Amino acid sequence: MNLYHNRSRLHRSRTAAASAAVALPLVLLTACGGAGDDPGGDAGGGQVELTLAHSYTEDQPQHTCGAEVIKEEAEAADVGLTVEVYPNSQLGGDADRIASVQSGDVDIDIQGASALAAVYEPAGVVDATYVFDDGAHLVRFFTDGSADQLEQDFKDASGGVSILGAWSAGARQFTANEAIREPEDLDGLRMRFPGSAQHLLNAQALGAEPTEVAYEELYLALQQGVVDGQENPLTNISASNLVEVQDYVSMSDHGQNSNLIVAAPTFDSELDDDQRAALEAAVAAAVEQMPGCVEEAEREILEKWVQEGSVEIVDDVDQEAFAQQTDEWFRANLEGDSLAVYEAIRGSAQ
């Protein structure tokens, strides 16, 4: 039973959309004729240029197997869609971009669930530690109907932003200058966690001492001993060369690095049925490809580290002990719709 579906929906007023702090190309969702001119037909149609933004580098899977696949598939459908991709936070940071999606200045964005929690707090639970068994569980939650209530409540709270799909960009792992095999090993370690509310809750659930450091400053903070360790998916650890300043990578798999693909309210108002279907199919194609891309990227990263001897890989982490501890903590400390989302996700596990 999906517990979240049995709760009454929380209706929230529309979040006021802030203007992005960057200049954006004003070519967004401009329909050239089509059904939108006919009050009796479908909205939108014609030739439409969409912007797709994200914060990842062009060599990370979120770009190569995510954004680029969405672009290629949507354009190949030949329904009048053109997609321009803006990687590497070119259109602003996460907070700026979700506001731009709400206002319709950015058409499609790839965001972590914790960033979307700024719009609807329970969405952050998607990033809770060990709430998903693995990446396949995350995808299944968003494709089998289990997430329907969450998606609708997010849409209501955000003023019409749609969640088109979700994938895991890899499991999150610990790094430190000592091995982390069980919860007690976190005692006394100053661990960097992202500054979002959900990730700070994750630190409490894990029994860690969280220290907030901007991702861009993390390498230097580890090098100078401001923090003792951190947690990220392998692709992020590699992209930032963190193994140069850490001795151990502990394979805890303690959370899935979620990416949700969200579309502006203009998805409903400016695209016709064929265009919406094509974009949804393009997102589904990217969701299908992402696991293989992430697996290959992580395998190459681990092989490189082993060959170079640059860091010690700890593969005997007691994940069950961590998972049991965090499950008990979340069930005792989450409440309301956040607890309902947590229980819905756990209830969808196989």
Side-chain angles (χ1 to χ4, degrees), residues 110-336:
I110 300 173
Q111 289 262 14
S114 293
L116 298 181
V119 175
Y120 180 59
E121 184 177 349
V125 176
V126 171
D127 279 342
T129 55
Y130 292 108
V131 68
F132 291 105
D133 293 344
D134 50 30
H137 181 194
L138 186 152
V139 171
R140 188 170 64 251
F141 178 72
F142 280 95
T143 55
D144 70 0
S146 298
D148 286 355
Q149 188 67 61
L150 171 60
E151 292 175 356
Q152 185 60 57
D153 286 346
F154 178 81
K155 191 168 188 174
D156 292 344
S158 63
V161 176
S162 299
I163 297 174
L164 301 185
W167 60 61
S168 170
R172 301 181 76 89
Q173 318 293 354
F174 292 123
T175 73
N177 287 328
E178 54 188 85
I180 298 172
R181 291 186 169 88
E182 54 190 15
E184 291 74 16
D185 292 334
L186 290 171
D187 291 346
L189 291 183
R190 295 164 299 173
M191 298 292 291
R192 182 269 180 182
F193 280 77
S196 72
Q198 183 58 52
H199 281 105
L200 295 178
L201 290 178
N202 290 347
Q204 293 183 55
L206 289 162
E209 179 183 336
T211 301
E212 292 184 44
V213 175
Y215 183 71
E216 296 78 12
E217 301 169 3
L218 182 53
Y219 183 100
L220 187 61
L222 291 167
Q223 186 180 50
Q224 295 181 343
V226 175
V227 290
D228 300 312
Q230 63 85 52
E231 52 86 55
N232 257 301
L234 296 181
T235 53
N236 287 10
I237 295 169
S238 175
S240 295
N241 298 314
L242 299 185
V243 295
E244 294 178 357
V245 289
Q246 297 276 263
D247 294 335
Y248 295 88
V249 174
S250 296
M251 304 294 288
S252 51
D253 289 0
H254 60 268
Q256 296 301 315
N257 197 47
S258 71
N259 287 147
L260 277 63
I261 303 87
V262 296
T266 41
F267 172 78
D268 292 318
S269 63
E270 299 291 345
L271 301 184
D272 64 27
D273 289 344
D274 289 341
Q275 290 167 338
R276 283 192 293 270
L279 188 53
E280 289 173 338
V283 170
V287 169
E288 184 176 357
Q289 289 195 32
M290 185 60 63
C293 291
V294 171
E295 183 178 352
E296 181 180 358
E298 291 186 338
R299 177 182 54 78
E300 291 176 353
I301 288 167
L302 289 171
E303 287 179 353
K304 177 184 176 185
W305 288 345
V306 170
Q307 290 173 358
E308 294 176 347
S310 52
V311 68
E312 184 170 337
I313 309 299
V314 180
D315 57 9
D316 59 346
V317 177
D318 190 347
Q319 296 180 7
E320 184 175 346
F322 276 112
Q324 180 176 343
Q325 175 177 303
T326 56
D327 183 62
E328 292 173 357
W329 192 94
F330 284 124
R331 292 183 187 278
N333 289 276
L334 293 177
E335 57 186 19

